[in-house]
Amino acid sequence: MKTNALFRKLIVRPLAAIPLFALALGIAGAMAVSPLAADEDMRIKSAEVRVEPEYDEPRVLVVNQGTFAGGSFPKEVSFFLPKGVEVTEVCGLKKPQDEHLCQLYETKLEGDATVLTYKLPVPDYYFEYYYNPIQGTGDRAIDFSYRPSYPTDNLQVHVQQPLRSTGFAISPSSSQVTSDGQGFKFYQYNFSDLSPQKP
């Protein structure tokens, strides 16, 4: 899948009791050199981003996890998040059971982004946040952008369809659709060789 289009649209038609929902998904990179990528040895081997609109509340839950390659740990790491987020968990993941090693963190505004910084004790990271891009009622649109902080070998993005929605559509369409035991559907997109300097 190519990343040359910055905004992708998802459209949801909920049940009669729930207003029509539209979701736009964009995958965008930093247009300028990232100040977070100063350590040239640091790169992300694999990353996963789950975008879950209206999962357990009206806002959008975004879950990020991945594995760094190169460098020694513990090490300070930083990530770009949307402006106005509420960060709810920031951890390292201790293998093999993915034990959450939760950490203190700092956030600061940098242009149109929030920068999350923390000391990662192990190469595997995990953090999640909520944000509220939904405006108005009835037909609604959500813009989501992913901005790489480090060179990334492989990225998977999973978009979750709200559980009670009907007539859901996502553009561009994804041929990789899975579901879980709770009945949620996930649309998967795969990206490779992402640079923090390029979209």
Side-chain angles (χ1 to χ4, degrees):
M1 176 178 192
K2 295 183 179 177
T3 59
N4 56 356
L6 292 182
F7 293 98
R8 319 287 191 196
K9 291 209 173 191
L10 308 164
I11 302 171
V12 178
R13 276 196 188 108
L15 299 173
I18 301 171
L20 185 66
F21 178 79
L23 175 67
L25 167 67
I27 306 300
M31 297 301 290
V33 173
S34 169
L36 307 180
D39 187 341
E40 294 180 6
D41 293 334
M42 291 286 287
R43 80 175 204 281
I44 295 174
K45 182 168 63 174
S46 62
E48 179 182 311
V49 177
R50 294 196 322 262
V51 182
E52 302 180 353
E54 299 181 344
Y55 172 68
D56 55 358
E57 60 171 83
R59 296 184 296 173
V60 179
L61 171 64
V62 180
V63 179
N64 294 259
Q65 67 181 61
T67 303
F68 278 96
S72 59
F73 291 84
K75 184 168 282 207
E76 187 173 274
V77 294
S78 297
F79 297 92
F80 290 111
L81 313 181
K83 207 172 185 179
V85 301
E86 179 190 348
V87 177
T88 54
E89 191 172 355
V90 176
C91 306
L93 291 178
K94 185 177 179 183
K95 300 296 183 180
Q97 282 85 24
D98 284 347
E99 176 187 350
H100 285 223
L101 307 173
C102 294
Q103 305 294 308
L104 297 174
Y105 62 89
E106 293 181 356
T107 58
K108 68 176 182 177
L109 289 178
E110 186 177 292
D112 62 351
T114 298
V115 177
L116 166 71
T117 301
Y118 72 107
K119 192 169 215 178
L120 181 62
V122 292
D124 296 275
Y125 66 88
Y126 177 97
F127 61 89
E128 59 183 52
Y129 62 86
Y130 285 90
Y131 79 120
N132 188 17
I134 300 171
Q135 303 297 323
T137 58
D139 292 357
R140 292 174 288 171
I142 291 177
D143 292 335
F144 172 78
S145 295
Y146 179 78
R147 185 175 171 183
S149 301
Y150 301 93
T152 303
D153 295 344
N154 294 291
L155 168 68
Q156 285 189 352
V157 177
H158 301 267
V159 179
Q160 177 182 283
Q161 177 178 340
L163 190 60
R164 295 184 303 276
S165 64
T166 58
F168 181 86
I170 186 169
S171 176
S173 61
S174 172
S175 60
Q176 295 179 285
V177 183
T178 59
S179 58
D180 65 13
Q182 296 177 297
F184 285 105
K185 283 186 179 177
F186 295 88
Y187 297 79
Q188 180 178 316
Y189 298 89
N190 298 300
F191 302 91
S192 59
D193 300 322
L194 301 180
S195 168
Q197 289 85 17
K198 297 178 182 178

